[in-house]
Amino acid sequence: FETNTSNGNPLLSFEGHTNNVTALGFQSDARWIYTGSEDGTIKIFDMRTAVCQRNYEIKGKIAVNTVALHPNQAQLISGDQNGCVRVWDLVANKCLAEVAPQNEDIAIRSVSVSSDGKMIVAANNVGNCFLWHMESPQTCSSLEGNIRNYHSVGGYLFLICLILNITYRSLYSKVTNSLKYSNI
């Protein structure tokens, strides 16, 4: 939509998902956008033409709840309804890594990447938050090892906040709750 006019018509319409869109974001130069959907797909659309350039499908059409773009602009990190966190390589055009940080099928609701690319964080439906320290901030080719787990006490985590060069001290929980920390 144009924000400086009274025109109520969209400038572009991005079509192709067959269910609710649950996540979206811009590439740093606004050349393309990415979307995630309950239809089990992640799509990349060209901003000039609104044409879908890439389509990543999760086997079993598991709903995608959240998607974040790595600062390297070449990887997407997604979280799904079955509790998996995945790293999608946009250059290799495939899924590089997949991990379910909790053994049960507990939906991942939010993922985020620190602005320096050194950390990835994910939170699930039951108030657990998982933090990965990346060995190489330029790429996240693996989510194995180097994980920290945070548990919400008496409630759920509702906001994940990663601030430049500030580590896991930046996690917030409900005002009346506190976080306790444990190594996995």
Side-chain angles (χ1 to χ4, degrees):
F1 291 95
E2 290 185 83
T3 58
N4 294 332
T5 72
S6 59
N7 182 358
N9 297 320
L11 296 174
L12 292 170
S13 181
F14 302 95
E15 298 177 7
H17 286 294
T18 59
N19 210 327
N20 295 325
V21 173
T22 55
L24 54 92
F26 287 96
Q27 178 262 351
S28 67
D29 296 329
R31 290 180 291 161
W32 48 267
I33 65 166
Y34 58 90
T35 59
S37 172
E38 289 178 348
D39 66 8
T41 64
I42 297 167
K43 296 183 184 293
I44 295 177
F45 293 93
D46 186 304
M47 286 293 294
R48 296 167 294 176
T49 63
V51 172
C52 181
Q53 299 293 313
R54 302 262 174 97
N55 183 53
Y56 301 104
E57 287 189 33
I58 297 178
K59 291 178 184 165
K61 299 204 179 266
I62 308 302
V64 176
N65 295 328
T66 180
V67 182
L69 179 62
H70 191 281
N72 67 15
Q73 305 293 294
Q75 294 174 322
L76 292 171
I77 294 82
S78 68
D80 67 37
Q81 192 65 24
N82 279 7
C84 285
V85 176
R86 290 179 176 83
V87 177
W88 302 90
D89 188 308
L90 305 180
V91 176
N93 207 24
K94 66 178 184 176
C95 183
L96 281 184
E98 177 180 339
V99 66
Q102 200 157 341
N103 291 336
E104 303 121 23
D105 287 339
I106 299 171
I108 298 293
R109 288 292 169 208
S110 183
V111 295
S112 186
V113 184
S114 64
S115 59
D116 61 4
K118 292 181 180 178
M119 293 178 282
I120 294 175
V121 65
N124 67 14
N125 258 8
V126 296
N128 292 333
C129 189
F130 308 95
L131 179 74
W132 290 270
H133 289 272
M134 298 293 100
E135 290 183 23
S136 169
Q138 289 76 36
T139 182
C140 46
S141 59
S142 173
L143 293 175
E144 298 300 321
N146 240 352
I147 184 174
R148 304 267 191 239
N149 185 6
Y150 299 87
H151 309 280
S152 174
V153 177
Y156 57 91
L157 294 170
F158 78 100
L159 175 63
I160 297 174
C161 181
L162 284 178
I163 301 171
L164 180 63
N165 294 326
I166 296 179
T167 59
Y168 31 84
R169 294 183 305 257
S170 297
L171 298 172
Y172 294 91
S173 68
K174 281 174 57 178
V175 175
T176 58
N177 294 340
S178 61
L179 288 173
K180 64 181 180 180
Y181 161 75
S182 63
N183 283 324
I184 296 182

